[in-house]
Amino acid sequence: MSASRTSTSRPIPLWLPWAIMAAIVVVALAVGSVGINEPPTNAERVQNLTRSIRCPQCAGQSVAESDVSVSREIRRDIAQRVEQGQTDEEIRAYYSSDTVYGPDALLTPPADGVGGLVWVLPVVAIALAAVGLTLAFRRWAASGRRDATDEDRALVAEALDVPDGGTEPGGAGRP
Amino acid sequence: MTDGADASGATLRRPVRLAAVVTGVVLVALLGVLAWQVAAGEDDTVRNGLVGRAAPAVVGTSITGEPVDIDRWRGDWVLVNFFATWCVPCVREHPELVAFAAAHGPDAEVPVEVVSVAFDDDAASIEEFFATNGGDWPVLVGDTGPIALDYGVRGVPESFLISPAGQVVAIFYGVTAADLDAAIATATAGAAQP
């Protein structure tokens, strides 16, 4: 019985989960890259822009979500500007200019200045965590594999209730 | 076994402590950024970068069909008032505008041109509103949204006092005649100082 169980439940190779994870990451990056390279339609640009601009009269809502008059006007204005050929950067620059609604008009934090920390800090944290884990794994690997002592064997034997120094069922004991 | 466990624990503790410190620093930094943005947002409630700058253009057609361009009143004070007939604070401030316009007509010591810009409203409602509540200054109608956005209007009512030199000197979120007179007096006194 134990022999048949051993033959049917083969251990999963250690590399298999890593290979699956790597494949998922590669596929996700590939799909993401293809998606980014496709130019958005004007309707998609309007949708994205209205989601990225704060409603001037509301708390924490984008103009896409808000139905107050000024948000409706901004949605209409953005659609007109897109049709006129203005770039996303030009449109965001207009709304975030000091004479219109100021830098806080943008729901997406700026990539420079103090607001840029919102983008930089998570990347730095992930990089530091990766370095820390790598160092820790290397240290653990370098510390070597410790063989079981006689004391450990005695504890295991006692737990399994077999004679001291006995072998595992169905196989030879480890050296 | 105990020594081994201690050694293993010591090996484990160092990266764990490092990770905890890094996580703490990152969290504190993120909280700092958040607090800074909240503080900036609080200041922003009365923000308008237009004060002290050239007034954006107000060009369009009045409700009576006449062309309006505030540049033609350069050399005089101008009050640009964004309003809507459905807006209760606009209805409340209207008598103040009527009184102010009457006190600063063409023959007054300090003449002021009042121009209203209808925001998200229709001509029929505006005609009825002025017939009922008084006021005979130009009222821009039609596609006035871009003008309101150029002035950074967040809601109505908002009024912009423009100096004879064409600069925005004050912004009001609901006006009184007394506040407008005080703003003109302050700006005039400031301009008279060497």
Side-chain angles (χ1 to χ4, degrees), chain A residues 11-169:
Chain A
I12 298 170
L14 279 175
W15 54 266
L16 189 59
W18 291 102
I20 292 171
M21 198 183 300
I24 290 170
V25 168
V26 168
V27 169
L29 285 174
V31 169
S33 302
V34 169
I36 288 165
N37 289 335
E38 282 179 1
T41 64
N42 280 359
E44 287 170 339
R45 284 183 56 204
V46 171
Q47 186 74 358
N48 290 337
L49 282 164
T50 54
R51 280 181 186 156
S52 73
I53 291 173
R54 188 190 304 274
C55 161
Q57 211 182 4
C58 334
Q61 273 189 316
S62 70
V63 295
E65 298 160 334
S66 162
D67 201 38
V68 299
S69 295
V70 69
S71 291
R72 286 201 304 269
E73 186 52 47
I74 291 173
R75 288 200 294 268
R76 202 168 66 91
D77 184 68
I78 287 173
Q80 276 184 351
R81 288 172 186 273
V82 167
E83 287 297 327
Q84 288 165 3
Q86 291 190 20
T87 65
D88 292 2
E89 287 69 32
E90 286 171 337
I91 295 170
R92 285 199 185 94
Y94 168 75
Y95 282 103
S96 61
S97 65
D98 285 339
T99 55
V100 182
Y101 295 117
D104 287 341
L106 303 180
L107 284 170
T108 311
D112 55 357
V114 181
L117 288 174
V118 173
W119 300 106
V120 173
L121 284 177
V123 176
V124 170
I126 290 170
L128 285 175
V131 169
L133 282 173
T134 305
L135 290 176
F137 286 151
R138 279 190 180 170
R139 191 171 298 167
W140 294 336
S143 67
R145 186 172 175 172
R146 276 187 295 278
D147 290 329
T149 63
D150 289 341
E151 199 177 341
D152 298 333
R153 290 177 194 284
L155 279 171
V156 173
E158 188 183 336
L160 293 174
D161 196 23
V162 296
D164 193 12
T167 57
E168 291 174 11

Side-chain angles (χ1 to χ4, degrees), chain B residues 68-175:
Chain B
V68 174
D69 182 349
I70 59 166
D71 271 357
R72 81 174 193 232
W73 295 308
R74 185 64 55 86
D76 286 335
W77 288 93
V78 177
L79 182 72
V80 178
N81 165 249
F82 293 89
F83 86 110
T85 59
W86 44 261
C87 144
V88 174
C90 304
V91 177
R92 282 206 197 106
E93 78 166 4
H94 194 78
E96 294 286 336
L97 282 173
V98 171
F100 179 76
H104 293 273
D107 299 328
E109 186 181 347
V110 181
V112 180
E113 295 291 342
V114 178
V115 180
S116 283
V117 181
F119 184 69
D120 193 20
D121 213 337
D122 62 274
S125 302
I126 295 162
E127 276 180 10
E128 187 184 339
F129 179 84
F130 272 82
T132 306
N133 299 294
D136 58 355
W137 54 83
V139 182
L140 264 69
V141 291
D143 187 17
T144 56
I147 301 173
L149 296 183
D150 282 347
Y151 275 80
V153 168
R154 294 163 182 242
V156 283
E158 277 190 36
S159 297
F160 296 76
L161 184 62
I162 300 169
S163 73
Q167 282 192 333
V168 176
V169 297
I171 301 170
F172 302 88
Y173 305 93
V175 295

